[in-house]
Amino acid sequence: MSRSRSESPQEQRPAGDETEAQAGAPSGEGPAAAAGGRRLALDVHGRLRAMILNGELPPGSVLLQAEMARKLGVSRTPMREAFRLLQEEGLIDARPDQRARVRSVDPEDLDAVYGARIMLETLAVSMTAKSFTAEDIERMSDALKRMRGLTVDDQPEEWHAAHHEFHSIATQAVGPHLQRMIASLGEHSERYIRLAQLGAPASWSKAYAEHEALLDALRSSDPAEAARVVARHLARTALSVLADIAPEHEPAATRTALAIAGNGGQ
């Protein structure tokens, strides 16, 4: 999905850009400068990614490299690289001779992501339930308390960090490769979680009840119940968002995964 940096007029390096030397150093300046430029580009990518996932840059938003570079206080060199990474992730569309935009929510993508999450996370929590310790219970309880004490509208990064930690502990028994897959899908889901929260604010209490139920199942070393709870929890988010943004779309992946997880009565 990556594109040549010479394709778009927007990506031409402006003459006299005095900040170019400060960030994203050219490769000719040596390995240390190149490494520093790469780190800055990754930092910029992370900041833009968070803005997209938490809704600060909503679907359809136009992204201008020069404008975003000024807003974040960097040059256009790391911004170009950040845009390239965002496009590879499918978070933005950046075609030649067109302005980059935050991608709209794709019902098929949402369905596929949540279908995959249900399959992988039910496997992971089932394995984790067999080896859950008192220390794990304490860590997971602490993450849930932090989630309850945070306001996602005012502290989105902190809330999502606590939410990510909660689910990471619940799925920790699987190997590193599967953990990376689960983490990647979880991060991809953040924008959908945000949409569910906006579309159905009353669902907060039910979501927390489901988190409590998952913790209880792990505390009781009950793999089947842990799988059932997490499958329903994930499916509810996906189905809620789809009902709001694309009620005509049939969520085949989500419903099939839910049925396989032993919860076909949804």
Side-chain angles (χ1 to χ4, degrees), residues 5 13 17 20 23-26 41 74-82:
R5 296 182 181 178
R13 179 173 176 174
D17 187 347
E20 288 287 354
V74 298
S75 76
R76 289 181 61 181
T77 297
M79 190 59 65
R80 282 195 295 269
E81 176 66 7

Side-chain angles (χ1 to χ4, degrees), residues 39-157:
R39 284 193 298 270
L40 180 57
L42 291 174
D43 178 66
V44 172
H45 163 257
R47 292 161 69 184
L48 286 174
R49 190 176 191 276
M51 293 166 72
I52 292 171
L53 294 177
N54 67 27
E56 185 176 346
L57 292 173
S61 298
V62 173
L63 301 179
L64 301 178
Q65 286 190 14
E67 179 182 316
M68 295 307 300
R70 286 193 297 270
K71 183 174 182 177
L72 298 184
V74 298
S75 76
R76 289 181 61 181
T77 297
M79 190 59 65
R80 282 195 295 269
E81 176 66 7
F83 270 45
R84 185 186 69 79
L85 293 171
L86 290 170
Q87 184 172 0
E88 287 185 348
E89 289 181 294
L91 291 176
I92 69 171
D93 286 320
R95 297 185 177 87
D97 302 322
Q98 294 183 14
R99 294 178 175 179
R101 291 180 181 271
V102 177
R103 285 191 63 183
S104 298
V105 175
D106 182 349
E108 290 188 4
D109 176 71
L110 187 158
D111 184 35
V113 167
Y114 273 88
R117 282 196 70 184
I118 290 169
M119 296 303 297
L120 294 180
E121 291 197 33
T122 52
L123 167 65
V125 298
S126 297
M127 294 174 64
T128 301
K130 299 174 183 178
S131 59
F132 217 56
T133 67
E135 181 182 353
D136 295 329
I137 294 170
E138 183 177 353
R139 289 167 54 222
M140 202 165 166
S141 297
D142 179 67
L144 186 56
K145 287 178 183 176
R146 281 186 282 125
M147 287 167 60
R148 286 186 177 277
L150 293 167
T151 304
V152 72
D153 288 332
D154 298 329
Q155 300 162 294
E157 292 185 10

Side-chain angles (χ1 to χ4, degrees), residues 231-251:
R232 288 181 64 88
H233 172 61
L234 295 172
R236 189 176 61 79
T237 298
L239 297 176
S240 173
V241 175
L242 283 170
D244 189 39
I245 67 167
E248 74 286 353
H249 183 82
E250 173 56 35

